[in-house]
Amino acid sequence: MAPRQSTPGADLVCGEVRTCLLPARQALDIRSAAQLLALRADERVLLSERPGLYARSPDTLTGVDCPLPSATGARVRAVGTVAARAALTEGRLLQTSARFRVPASGPDQRRPWGEYLVRPGVVEPLGKLPHEAVARGVLDGGRHGDLDVGLIADGLLTRLLRHPLLDQRPPFRSRPTRLRWVALPAAPGDGPSLERFTLAEDELRTVRLRVPEGTDGAELAVLCDDLALHDWLLTTVVRMFDGIRLGQGAAEDAGAVVRTLRPAVDHLLHLWMPAARVAGGLAPLWDPLEERPGFTRQWQALVQRIRDQFTLHAIPSAHREVEPVP
């Protein structure tokens, strides 16, 4: 057998994230979080208490041999492994994600499985990679039978949600979200950039990035987990205001407002920490989202609205409603 050539530079990195409220009445402490995320016996769960409680599972690998998604319909067969993992923030928000890296080109024939297993998270094409077509195909969702990292992330989430530690009694109702992302190579000499962040239908978000060659795929996954988490927070708190009748004045209306918004105060407001765990070289990718649409500005406005409502309804009604004197 001819000696194997060195792996070509990564041309494309792709992934998908699931974010949801942990279905448990009480947030898990750090030890319980480690128990929940112990996906492998041979590797420990990463635990951190600064700047907040955070736990991340080791990677698990799924072998794949199937076509890559392609916006042009080209059938590019790829073989390798997809890396998946889970994370729990403050014992309350659960995320699962799956990712893979695709080199710019691969061999014309399939290699033995052992050669793929020594490169976890790498999916190698047979021949050259049409990177733009595959990037658009991944973001569009691909066709039946194509490589679908969302299914892998969803399968891991389903497995964790059945864990006996969870009593299936979340403190409030919410919806999960999906964030699908691709990172294409930046031009030589350029730094990382966020080209597009899109809110699609059915709780789907898509992100298109440009990153310098050699950017670590695991660090990109942390960045996209962070984007997904903060988008979920914004989406969930915005929905809490849906249907609330503000300014009605009746005692029963005031009680309903407080009951609806109280979970945000108890469980969510302290979680807003953009880029807290993102690698320094990738942290600037948050800047476009802070400029437009303005993630933190919107969050601060929502927080202020919640505080104003609690303050208003804490004032006795006799002091709020003053009748004019004839």
Side-chain angles (χ1 to χ4, degrees):
M1 179 181 296
R4 178 172 176 174
Q5 298 178 352
S6 60
T7 302
D11 200 292
L12 185 66
V13 188
C14 309
E16 191 159 332
V17 188
R18 298 286 194 270
T19 305
C20 70
L21 183 71
L22 193 74
R25 192 66 182 173
Q26 298 295 327
L28 298 188
D29 58 32
I30 199 71
R31 296 189 181 207
S32 297
Q35 185 178 347
L36 174 70
L37 301 183
L39 302 182
R40 290 172 50 178
D42 62 336
E43 195 168 341
R44 298 177 63 181
V45 175
L46 172 68
L47 302 175
S48 173
E49 296 185 356
R50 299 291 184 272
L53 295 181
Y54 178 77
R56 190 173 73 213
S57 76
D59 283 349
T60 62
L61 300 179
T62 300
V64 296
D65 182 348
C66 56
L68 292 170
S70 173
T72 62
R75 303 296 281 179
V76 181
R77 181 182 172 189
V79 187
T81 59
V82 174
R85 65 189 184 191
L88 188 65
T89 300
E90 289 290 352
R92 181 55 72 193
L93 294 190
L94 178 63
Q95 294 182 290
T96 59
S97 62
R99 70 184 188 279
F100 63 93
R101 177 172 69 89
V102 193
S105 62
D108 294 330
Q109 294 183 344
R110 187 183 185 278
R111 304 182 192 272
W113 262 117
E115 297 195 33
Y116 298 107
L117 294 176
V118 297
R119 295 183 300 153
V122 174
V123 174
E124 193 173 64
L126 300 188
K128 292 186 178 180
L129 175 73
H131 62 279
E132 182 62 36
V134 171
R136 288 190 285 123
V138 168
L139 293 181
D140 292 341
R143 299 175 297 183
H144 179 71
D146 290 347
L147 175 55
D148 188 343
V149 288
L151 287 179
I152 296 174
D154 197 53
L156 178 55
L157 180 63
T158 300
R159 170 185 169 185
L160 292 175
L161 292 179
R162 294 171 177 167
H163 198 284
L165 276 173
L166 308 180
D167 59 19
Q168 307 302 321
R169 297 173 59 211
F172 60 95
R173 300 177 70 177
S174 63
R175 300 179 196 170
T177 58
R178 300 176 292 150
L179 185 141
R180 189 178 295 154
W181 59 272
V182 298
L184 293 98
D190 288 354
S193 62
L194 190 152
E195 290 189 338
R196 190 178 305 123
F197 181 96
T198 304
L199 300 181
E201 298 178 356
D202 300 324
E203 321 303 327
L204 173 66
R205 287 82 172 98
T206 61
V207 176
R208 181 182 166 105
L209 307 167
R210 292 275 181 182
V211 296
E213 183 177 346
T215 301
D216 187 274
E219 292 182 353
L220 282 170
V222 171
L223 165 74
C224 293
D225 285 358
D226 195 53
L227 296 178
L229 184 145
H230 289 85
D231 171 77
W232 185 92
L233 287 171
L234 270 177
T235 302
T236 300
V237 175
V238 166
R239 285 178 178 151
M240 286 182 174
F241 279 96
D242 289 347
I244 294 180
R245 296 189 298 169
L246 300 178
Q248 299 300 309
E252 57 271 19
D253 292 328
V257 170
V258 172
R259 286 193 300 272
T260 301
L261 298 179
R262 176 92 184 242
V265 177
D266 291 342
H267 305 287
L268 303 182
L269 298 191
H270 62 293
L271 300 181
W272 191 262
M273 298 183 196
R277 292 185 172 84
V278 176
L282 297 177
L285 292 173
W286 255 101
D287 295 344
L289 295 176
E290 297 292 21
E291 294 171 6
R292 182 177 295 183
F295 268 43
T296 296
R297 286 197 304 273
Q298 184 181 6
W299 179 257
Q300 290 172 343
L302 289 169
V303 170
Q304 189 59 53
R305 286 188 72 191
I306 292 171
R307 289 173 176 167
D308 289 345
Q309 288 300 315
F310 273 69
T311 300
L312 179 64
H313 294 303
I315 302 172
S317 58
H319 294 167
R320 290 203 311 266
E321 301 175 6
V322 179
E323 296 291 336
V325 178

